[in-house]
Amino acid sequence: MKSPIMFPATMTEMFTTMGSTLASFMFVWAIIRQYCPYELRRFFEKYTQQITGYFYPYIRISFHEFAGDRLKRSDAYSAVEAYLSANSSKSAKKLKAEMGRDSRKLVLSMDEYERVTDDFRGVKVWWLLSKSVSAARQNSYYPEQEKRFYKLTFHKKHRDIITEKYLEHVVSEGKEIRVRNRQRKLYTNSPGYKWPSYKQTMWSHIVFEHPASFETLAMDPEKKEEIIEDLRTFSKSKDYYAKIGKAWKRGYLLYGPPGTGKSTMIAAMANLLNYDIYDLELTAVKDNTELRKLLIETTSKSIIVIEDIDCSLDLTGQRKKKSEKSSDDENDKMSKEIAKKEAKEENGSKVTLSGLLNFIDGLWSACGGERLIVFTTNYVEKLDPALIRRGRMDKHIELSYCTFEAFKVLAKNYLSLEMHPMFDTIQTLIGETKITPADVAENLMPKSSLDDAEKCLSSLIQALEEAKEEAAKEEAAKKEKAAEKEKEAKEEAAKKEKEAKEEAAEKEEAAKEEAAKKENAARKKAGIKENGPTKEDAFQSQVDKETENVL
């Protein structure tokens, strides 16, 4: 059996002396903290830190959760927390898991008094999460809530690179992480008279959970890649827009027949860029001033959408050149304007085309940044050219009828098929028929558990054949109607020609009668009558003859 290890008496005495010394020091420190005035302790701490600073080679920067008496959380603290959550979860031993208010998943971050290290361009820094309580209120009946803060420590020789580069990197990276982890929202505006006085924003929202993506979007692949590249380029062009002196925004006009996927395209754009969506209902906006207030309330990294803009208020009137018009045309124009004004007053909205144009690219549009403005319409020809010109709607995207490439995307989505013998027939029919992606998707969707791929494809082929027959009938009806119109036009032309000839003959007869009347009037004036000489003429002739005989 081994004998216990015996320490020398001198070492035992040393530990005993050290223990008693530490105990005495802690006792004295407790007495000082209890009875020494707070101001006096702060005075000693202040000068102690100054003296220590001459020999201590490290610099500390604190990021407090709340600044002053404000209740709003510090943006810098939130950015640092997000940045460290991505790094500390790999190196820290003591973590805490939280579900943020706007977060869509659990976020792991360093717990209190946990220390982690970070390297930036060869410079090593230390982060510490700490908390503090004001000593002035420790003994209060209602003690002050603990204040948390992050403390950054680094060597003073790296001051420039840390303050000028590293902190900017931490904040920008933290904001990006927060955007990726945040719970995206779909906003809509309510009529102004429904806004309660206590409400802080003019928008109401729900969580945006639309599953659409460009991978599942039924479009031509080349056109799809072009749109994706355009969106990604825009999201990374902050410095470029600042360089050219233009607000960081971009307008998209989506147009095409109903059922071609305009709304789905907007959802795919939001999911690609991780943007929020603001669905603006113009009929609920009272006037242009309220429209500007709504714009100010929107945030960066968002899409402002006005769907079916050709149906929104009186924003579809084409500007026409001035020309001479008849009084009837002027009266019709006046009556239409009065009717439009009455309709606008009934709707309760006084938003004008000018106000909307300023909303898109006026001075107020520069507040904030990284915004997409999207208009959708079924009839692009109805919109005012000033509304959709380049610079306002920078990119025009036509969403047309379903092509074979779009069909293959839908077949893969709905039936998990990339190839099938029936595809050749479908390709031929789709090339000869106009059918929307929505109609194709409806036929490809199984209606029961017994529906297999062949049944769905057969249903689509039947729908395509029916659409082809219907289109042929419509084409035949159009041709027949055109032939009838042409026949009616010919009959109308012949009738007009006959009437013109008759009118010409009548005019010619009237001209002859008028010429005869003029001739008779001239003869009468000259003394020559149409019915022979008058009695006075005969008497004068006889007198002349008798005078001649006498002579």
Side-chain angles (χ1 to χ4, degrees):
M1 184 175 178
K2 292 183 180 181
S3 59
I5 299 174
M6 301 297 293
F7 290 99
T10 54
M11 185 174 293
T12 305
E13 291 175 358
M14 183 182 67
F15 278 116
T16 303
T17 304
M18 185 181 298
S20 61
T21 303
L22 288 175
S24 301
F25 177 78
M26 296 298 296
F27 176 77
V28 173
W29 180 247
I31 296 298
I32 292 174
R33 287 182 59 88
Q34 184 71 23
Y35 296 103
C36 183
Y38 174 74
E39 292 77 9
L40 183 59
R41 284 190 287 113
R42 289 294 297 170
F43 176 79
F44 282 113
E45 288 177 4
K46 175 182 177 182
Y47 286 99
T48 301
Q49 291 177 0
Q50 290 181 0
I51 295 172
T52 307
Y54 289 109
F55 307 98
Y56 190 69
Y58 293 95
I59 297 175
R60 294 176 179 175
I61 300 177
S62 298
F63 298 85
H64 291 268
E65 185 175 10
F66 299 98
D69 295 331
R70 293 181 301 172
L71 298 178
K72 183 180 179 182
R73 205 180 193 205
S74 170
D75 292 335
Y77 181 91
S78 300
V80 170
E81 183 180 46
Y83 174 79
L84 293 177
S85 67
N87 300 324
S88 62
S89 60
K90 300 177 182 178
S91 59
K93 298 179 180 179
K94 191 178 177 183
L95 298 169
K96 61 179 179 180
E98 292 180 327
M99 176 68 79
R101 186 181 63 178
D102 294 329
S103 179
R104 60 182 178 180
K105 62 180 182 180
L106 280 174
V107 177
L108 297 177
S109 59
M110 54 195 292
D111 205 351
E112 295 172 351
Y113 303 113
E114 182 70 10
R115 184 187 296 270
V116 296
T117 59
D118 191 19
D119 291 323
F120 180 75
R121 299 182 182 180
V123 178
K124 189 174 183 179
V125 298
W126 295 267
W127 287 96
L128 172 68
L129 176 60
S130 186
K131 64 181 179 179
S132 64
V133 180
S134 176
R137 299 192 58 182
Q138 278 185 343
N139 298 324
S140 173
Y141 185 75
Y142 296 103
E144 187 176 2
Q145 188 176 5
E146 295 175 341
K147 293 182 178 180
R148 295 184 298 177
F149 62 92
Y150 284 101
K151 185 182 294 184
L152 171 64
T153 306
F154 57 92
H155 200 281
K156 61 182 180 181
K157 67 180 180 181
H158 303 303
R159 176 192 290 268
D160 292 339
I161 191 172
I162 296 299
T163 56
E164 295 178 5
K165 300 294 183 181
Y166 179 66
L167 292 181
E168 182 180 352
H169 165 71
V170 169
V171 172
S172 62
E173 193 71 19
K175 288 181 177 179
E176 289 294 329
I177 294 172
R178 288 183 64 195
V179 169
R180 290 196 298 267
N181 293 337
R182 84 184 193 280
Q183 199 171 47
R184 289 181 296 113
K185 299 172 183 177
L186 173 62
Y187 294 85
T188 186
N189 59 302
S190 303
Y193 65 86
K194 291 186 177 181
W195 297 345
S197 57
Y198 60 85
K199 195 169 185 179
Q200 299 297 321
T201 179
M202 300 177 181
W203 299 90
S204 56
H205 68 271
I206 60 172
V207 177
F208 180 71
E209 296 178 333
H210 201 293
S213 67
F214 278 96
E215 293 180 357
T216 60
L217 195 62
M219 278 187 71
D220 180 72
E222 293 183 0
K223 191 173 183 179
K224 188 188 300 185
E225 286 299 322
E226 178 187 347
I227 297 171
I228 292 173
E229 185 63 26
D230 186 84
L231 290 169
R232 286 177 174 166
T233 302
F234 167 78
S235 66
K236 300 175 183 177
S237 301
K238 180 180 180 180
D239 295 335
Y240 177 76
Y241 275 82
K243 175 184 175 183
I244 64 177
K246 186 178 179 181
W248 192 13
K249 63 178 184 58
R250 188 162 176 79
Y252 285 80
L253 176 66
L254 309 182
Y255 65 96
T260 52
K262 295 183 285 294
S263 299
T264 306
M265 166 72 77
I266 295 171
M269 293 166 69
N271 287 329
L272 176 69
L273 300 177
N274 288 318
Y275 283 6
D276 293 326
I277 295 180
Y278 289 85
D279 187 10
L280 179 60
E281 179 56 51
L282 281 179
T283 56
V285 182
K286 184 174 63 175
D287 52 26
N288 295 335
T289 302
E290 193 171 287
L291 186 63
R292 286 193 291 269
K293 291 180 181 178
L294 287 166
L295 175 63
I296 295 172
E297 288 287 335
T298 60
T299 60
S300 300
K301 294 184 179 296
S302 61
I303 303 176
I304 302 174
V305 180
I306 302 179
E307 293 199 83
D308 297 323
I309 193 170
D310 53 297
C311 303
S312 298
L313 306 180
D314 182 23
L315 302 173
T316 59
Q318 301 286 346
R319 299 182 181 181
K320 299 179 180 179
K321 295 181 179 179
K322 292 183 179 179
S323 59
E324 295 182 358
K325 295 184 179 181
S326 63
S327 58
D328 293 339
D329 293 338
E330 292 179 356
N331 292 335
D332 292 342
K333 184 178 178 181
M334 290 290 292
S335 62
K336 288 180 179 179
E337 289 180 354
I338 293 172
K340 288 179 180 178
K341 288 181 179 179
E342 291 177 353
K344 187 180 290 187
E345 290 176 357
E346 290 178 0
N347 290 335
S349 178
K350 296 181 181 178
V351 175
T352 63
L353 178 60
S354 174
L356 185 60
L357 297 181
N358 290 328
F359 173 85
I360 300 170
D361 67 348
L363 294 174
W364 290 93
S365 66
C367 62
E370 198 171 357
R371 287 193 186 94
L372 297 178
I373 300 176
V374 181
F375 291 166
T376 70
T377 179
N378 297 333
Y379 308 99
V380 67
E381 64 278 0
K382 291 184 178 181
L383 299 180
D384 193 295
L387 188 63
I388 60 176
R389 69 165 176 80
R390 304 293 178 175
R392 289 196 175 104
M393 293 294 104
D394 303 284
K395 190 169 183 63
H396 295 192
I397 302 174
E398 181 181 7
L399 299 175
S400 188
Y401 294 101
C402 189
T403 62
F404 181 66
E405 294 296 329
F407 157 75
K408 290 198 294 185
V409 175
L410 294 174
K412 184 177 180 180
N413 294 341
Y414 286 81
L415 303 175
S416 300
L417 289 177
E418 295 186 1
M419 190 58 64
H420 194 276
M422 302 174 75
F423 277 16
D424 294 335
T425 304
I426 293 173
Q427 183 177 8
T428 303
L429 290 173
I430 281 185
E432 300 171 348
T433 309
K434 291 182 178 181
I435 186 169
T436 65
D439 291 331
V440 173
E442 178 61 26
N443 285 282
L444 291 179
M445 181 180 291
K447 306 301 186 298
S448 70
S449 58
L450 300 178
D451 292 350
D452 55 5
E454 290 190 1
K455 185 174 181 180
C456 294
L457 292 175
S458 300
S459 174
L460 176 59
I461 291 175
Q462 182 180 355
L464 288 169
E465 290 175 346
E466 291 176 356
K468 183 178 179 181
E469 292 177 1
E470 187 67 24
K473 290 180 181 178
E474 290 180 359
E475 187 66 24
K478 286 181 181 179
K479 289 182 179 179
E480 184 178 352
K481 191 174 182 180
E484 290 179 358
K485 285 185 176 180
E486 185 178 359
K487 183 179 179 181
E488 290 177 358
K490 288 182 179 179
E491 292 178 354
E492 186 68 20
K495 183 178 179 181
K496 287 183 178 179
E497 184 179 359
K498 182 178 179 181
E499 291 177 352
K501 289 181 178 179
E502 291 177 354
E503 185 177 357
E506 290 177 358
K507 287 182 179 180
E508 184 178 359
E509 186 67 24
K512 288 181 179 178
E513 291 179 359
E514 186 67 22
K517 287 181 181 179
K518 288 181 179 180
E519 185 179 357
N520 289 337
R523 290 176 61 190
K524 183 176 181 181
K525 186 176 181 180
I528 302 175
K529 306 299 177 182
E530 185 178 0
N531 297 324
T534 61
K535 292 180 178 181
E536 292 78 3
D537 295 336
F539 177 74
Q540 185 64 34
S541 177
Q542 185 177 358
V543 170
D544 293 340
K545 286 181 180 181
E546 291 178 354
T547 304
E548 184 179 356
N549 292 333
V550 171
L551 294 175

